[in-house]
Amino acid sequence: MAARRAGIADVAARAGVSVGTASKALNGRGSLREETRARVRAAAQELEFAPSTVARSLLTGRTFTVGIITTDSYGRFSIPIMRGAEDALGLGEMLAFLCDSRDDPIREQHHLRRLLERRVDGVIVAGRRTDARQPVGANLPVPVVYALAPSAGELDISVTSDERGAARLAVDHLVRTGRRRIAHITGPHSHSSSRERAAGATQALAAHGLELVGEPWFGSWSEAWGRFAVSQLLRTHPDVDGVFCGADVIARGATDALREAGASLPMQVGVVGVDNWGVVAEAARPPLTTVDLGLQEIGRRAGELLLEAIDGTPAPGIHIVPGHLVVRES
Amino acid sequence: MAARRAGIADVAARAGVSVGTASKALNGRGSLREETRARVRAAAQELEFAPSTVARSLLTGRTFTVGIITTDSYGRFSIPIMRGAEDALGLGEMLAFLCDSRDDPIREQHHLRRLLERRVDGVIVAGRRTDARQPVGANLPVPVVYALAPSAGELDISVTSDERGAARLAVDHLVRTGRRRIAHITGPHSHSSSRERAAGATQALAAHGLELVGEPWFGSWSEAWGRFAVSQLLRTHPDVDGVFCGADVIARGATDALREAGASLPMQVGVVGVDNWGVVAEAARPPLTTVDLGLQEIGRRAGELLLEAIDGTPAPGIHIVPGHLVVRES
DNA sequence: TTGAAAGCGCTAACAC
DNA sequence: GTGTTAGCGCTTTCAA
């Protein structure tokens, strides 16, 4: 601590040149004698000179920072998205401010305002559901990219997951491994993810000339629901041989209930989840085959699209990132 | 988008005053006629004026930003810490840059450098283990606070968890609920958390005139290890009536193995974990009683200590944040 | 009560 | 090849 910070003026003085020259030397601009350049660089090194980005920003109008607003308290969904975004943004030498709106529109507006005051070059808004959301503002001075929860605004840039595709990947795997009597247990009907996955499952089965065993079981994103739904399912359809679950937690509950009902997994019944959430999928017995929605990829794509928009070539619309199947033992 | 950004000069022009006056009006500085103030405010409103923090920073030397460097890819540990830190920093009107070092010292240095170039007012370094770590740098121009993984530097500021206290909370609960033959299953011996929790458990039992059943079982942070250790434990100590597990994932494996071995929980055997990791603790059967290490509180404390250090009153040393017991049904 | 001017740390345009 | 100067958007003396 306490180390006084050297400015470019200090570096120039020590190297015996003017600040202009020092600037050129350090930025490789202009034409200077190699010896001068070296002398300046040496001085900078000795003084541990770190150029002030804030002064530079004032001049160029760019800060090389972006804001990421999550509605999600850095939870299950935001985290991989943030990671992906940081990957992409880091490549553009950008640093990200993190704001947690906790699903509160007031907080969101507050954060947005603070980010704009800080002159971020762009903003990523990450949601935790795939339901469309209202735009964070109109006529903003910087580009915004929506991740996971797409914006309802026509001309906005959004990146989201392929819900129907995810269902197809799951169902195709079950069919490919010989399952014919496939049921679907999923989350709340109020979530568009649940509805889309159910619709996707029905579609995919139809493509194989099959139908879902019973209606989709809408419930909650929990292990307990997975267990309960399976116990009920076995009463009406004891011959079920495949279960596509709308989430890994549901799938884990399902495997437990099936195992405890005496079914041998995966021989008698195949189970596929969605999420590829390590702590759940890997610890299940057997470890879960599941669809990874590519959240990190969504974040990466969002970062890339934001960089492009900042560079003046925005790509409006909803960009869909495909998921992929992770085959384990279930 | 595309909305041109109004500067204070625009506001001043529209209000028919000088920039100096506009500045004073908006910041409540100087003495101005109330009518002038109102006029300026109105102009600012109409132009959606958002003062540039970067210009202000250049002047004041403070950016009201901090950097958070996590070694943890925003995982299980960083997340609550970040939340807590954001809580504290938000109160100081600070915004946080997020950097993920992925446990790579090179990346860490790189990020630190970039943060310093951006003139952050301070830095939080968050780890994922409680083992002491090397300081991130010496003689830095801004204060640094270490969260979870304390710095080995004597004069640095660190905030970490109370590992022995956590073990005491767990053991006391088991004893209070009538358990006398208590075993301990935990993570790798190479982690100081494992060793400290084991030592704490032994100590706490001694305070009750009891001894651990067998040696502590060091292994890995996984459900599989919890299951395996319990199965072995039951062979040598079938009369065990309490298991203190060094992590919720271990505890969950332990409950599964106990239940499947025919033990009724929590009547015959009590199980206590550490972490209070929702997805694991709540889904276990029965839901886990566990020690919450207070990670969010650690983050909050780190944020507070950083603000204090920035304000010129650093509190060096290792600050220990107490955990608390979360009683569920196990 | 208000305006004019200097300056924060840096870069870029232009002189020398 | 190097130095000088103006100016990015704001706040803050100081003078009017």
Side-chain angles (χ1 to χ4, degrees):
Chain A
M1 283 233 278
R4 204 188 83 74
R5 243 194 266 251
I8 198 167
D10 304 298
V11 174
R14 181 174 250 264
V17 296
S18 71
V19 287
T21 304
S23 172
K24 282 173 219 156
L26 294 171
N27 295 298
R29 230 64 60 107
S31 59
L32 301 180
R33 250 188 313 160
E34 189 48 45
E35 189 267 326
T36 315
R37 247 182 239 292
R39 198 146 37 89
V40 173
R41 270 201 290 263
Q45 190 103 54
E46 286 160 35
L47 297 171
E48 300 184 37
F49 171 66
S52 163
T53 346
V54 3
R56 186 181 283 154
S57 295
L58 190 54
L59 210 44
T60 62
R62 287 214 35 194
T63 55
F64 289 90
T65 60
V66 306
I68 302 184
I69 302 180
T70 82
T71 63
D72 183 19
S73 306
Y74 316 133
R76 163 85 192 90
F77 300 103
S78 308
I79 295 148
I81 293 177
M82 275 158 35
R83 260 200 87 146
E86 204 196 318
D87 279 351
L89 296 169
L91 259 36
E93 291 292 300
M94 295 262 181
L95 235 38
F97 283 118
L98 226 88
C99 305
D100 178 4
S101 73
R102 294 175 200 181
D103 254 335
D104 173 358
I106 310 272
R107 280 180 94 89
E108 189 174 83
Q109 286 305 310
H110 178 72
H111 280 134
L112 181 62
R113 183 168 189 84
R114 294 179 67 197
L115 289 170
L116 293 177
E117 285 176 358
R118 276 176 164 93
R119 295 299 185 262
V120 293
D121 294 332
V123 174
I124 291 177
V125 177
R128 71 159 161 242
R129 290 175 54 172
T130 54
D131 302 76
R133 52 155 292 154
Q134 283 311 106
V136 79
N139 218 251
L140 297 173
V142 297
V144 177
V145 174
Y146 297 82
L148 203 55
S151 164
E154 293 290 314
L155 294 172
D156 289 335
I157 309 171
S158 304
V159 188
T160 190
S161 51
D162 182 5
E163 299 293 324
R164 294 202 176 216
R168 188 163 22 74
L169 288 171
V171 165
D172 285 358
H173 175 78
L174 287 169
V175 172
R176 195 183 322 116
T177 52
R179 322 297 177 171
R180 290 298 176 268
R181 292 175 300 284
I182 297 171
H184 181 45
I185 305 175
T186 190
H189 191 273
S190 60
H191 284 216
S192 89
S193 290
S194 302
R195 297 192 305 273
E196 288 292 305
R197 289 173 197 171
T202 304
Q203 257 177 18
L205 281 169
H208 291 288
L210 296 172
E211 281 194 346
L212 211 53
V213 166
E215 291 295 304
W217 294 71
F218 291 100
S220 70
W221 308 112
S222 71
E223 291 192 35
W225 166 242
R227 287 196 298 267
F228 176 73
V230 159
S231 69
Q232 295 302 97
L233 173 68
L234 290 177
R235 296 162 66 145
T236 49
H237 299 278
D239 61 344
V240 67
D241 65 3
V243 184
F244 165 39
C245 297
D248 285 348
V249 287
I250 295 174
R252 179 158 188 189
T255 55
D256 284 345
L258 284 164
R259 200 180 57 249
E260 285 161 20
S264 76
L265 305 184
M267 284 69 79
Q268 279 176 258
V269 187
V271 175
V272 177
V274 176
D275 281 343
N276 193 25
W277 190 0
V279 63
V280 178
E282 287 161 15
R285 287 180 288 166
L288 296 175
T289 292
T290 179
V291 178
D292 189 315
L293 291 172
L295 296 179
Q296 189 164 337
E297 176 64 14
I298 289 175
R300 224 174 47 72
R301 215 47 208 109
E304 289 170 359
L305 287 165
L306 185 59
L307 290 178
E308 289 168 18
I310 290 170
D311 288 345
T313 55
I318 297 184
H319 302 252
I320 308 275
V321 170
H324 61 273
L325 189 75
V326 177
V327 179
R328 292 200 183 85
E329 296 163 38
S330 74
Chain B
M1 283 237 273
R4 206 189 80 75
R5 243 194 266 251
I8 199 169
D10 303 299
V11 174
R14 180 176 251 265
V17 296
S18 71
V19 288
T21 305
S23 171
K24 284 171 216 156
L26 294 171
N27 295 298
R29 232 60 63 102
S31 58
L32 300 180
R33 253 189 310 160
E34 188 48 46
E35 189 268 324
T36 314
R37 246 182 239 291
R39 197 146 39 87
V40 173
R41 268 201 291 263
Q45 189 102 54
E46 286 160 35
L47 296 172
E48 299 184 39
F49 171 66
S52 163
T53 350
V54 2
R56 186 180 284 156
S57 295
L58 190 54
L59 214 40
T60 62
R62 287 211 38 191
T63 55
F64 288 90
T65 61
V66 307
I68 302 184
I69 302 180
T70 80
T71 63
D72 182 19
S73 306
Y74 317 134
R76 162 86 191 88
F77 300 103
S78 308
I79 296 148
I81 293 177
M82 275 158 37
R83 258 201 90 144
E86 204 196 317
D87 279 351
L89 296 169
L91 261 36
E93 292 292 300
M94 294 263 181
L95 234 39
F97 283 119
L98 224 88
C99 305
D100 179 3
S101 74
R102 295 177 199 180
D103 254 334
D104 173 357
I106 310 272
R107 281 180 95 89
E108 189 173 83
Q109 286 305 309
H110 178 72
H111 280 134
L112 181 62
R113 181 165 189 87
R114 295 179 67 195
L115 289 170
L116 293 177
E117 284 176 359
R118 281 182 160 92
R119 295 297 186 263
V120 293
D121 295 331
V123 174
I124 291 177
V125 176
R128 70 159 162 240
R129 290 176 54 174
T130 54
D131 302 75
R133 51 155 291 154
Q134 283 311 106
V136 78
N139 216 249
L140 295 173
V142 297
V144 177
V145 173
Y146 298 82
L148 203 53
S151 165
E154 292 290 314
L155 295 173
D156 290 335
I157 309 172
S158 303
V159 189
T160 191
S161 52
D162 182 4
E163 299 293 324
R164 295 203 176 216
R168 187 164 22 75
L169 288 171
V171 165
D172 286 357
H173 174 79
L174 287 169
V175 172
R176 196 183 321 117
T177 51
R179 322 295 177 174
R180 290 298 175 270
R181 291 174 302 282
I182 298 171
H184 181 46
I185 305 174
T186 191
H189 191 272
S190 59
H191 285 216
S192 89
S193 289
S194 303
R195 297 192 305 273
E196 288 291 308
R197 289 173 197 171
T202 305
Q203 257 178 16
L205 281 169
H208 292 287
L210 296 171
E211 282 194 344
L212 212 52
V213 166
E215 291 295 303
W217 294 69
F218 291 100
S220 70
W221 309 112
S222 71
E223 292 191 34
W225 166 241
R227 288 196 298 267
F228 175 73
V230 159
S231 69
Q232 295 303 95
L233 173 67
L234 289 177
R235 296 161 66 144
T236 49
H237 298 278
D239 60 343
V240 66
D241 64 3
V243 184
F244 166 40
C245 298
D248 285 347
V249 288
I250 295 174
R252 179 156 187 190
T255 55
D256 284 345
L258 284 164
R259 200 179 59 247
E260 286 160 19
S264 76
L265 305 184
M267 284 69 78
Q268 278 175 259
V269 187
V271 175
V272 178
V274 176
D275 281 341
N276 193 26
W277 190 2
V279 63
V280 178
E282 286 161 15
R285 289 180 287 165
L288 294 176
T289 292
T290 180
V291 179
D292 189 315
L293 290 172
L295 295 180
Q296 188 164 338
E297 176 65 16
I298 289 175
R300 222 174 49 71
R301 229 19 224 125
E304 289 170 359
L305 287 165
L306 185 59
L307 289 178
E308 289 168 19
I310 290 171
D311 288 344
T313 54
I318 297 184
H319 301 254
I320 308 274
V321 170
H324 61 273
L325 190 74
V326 176
V327 178
R328 291 200 185 85
E329 296 161 38
S330 74

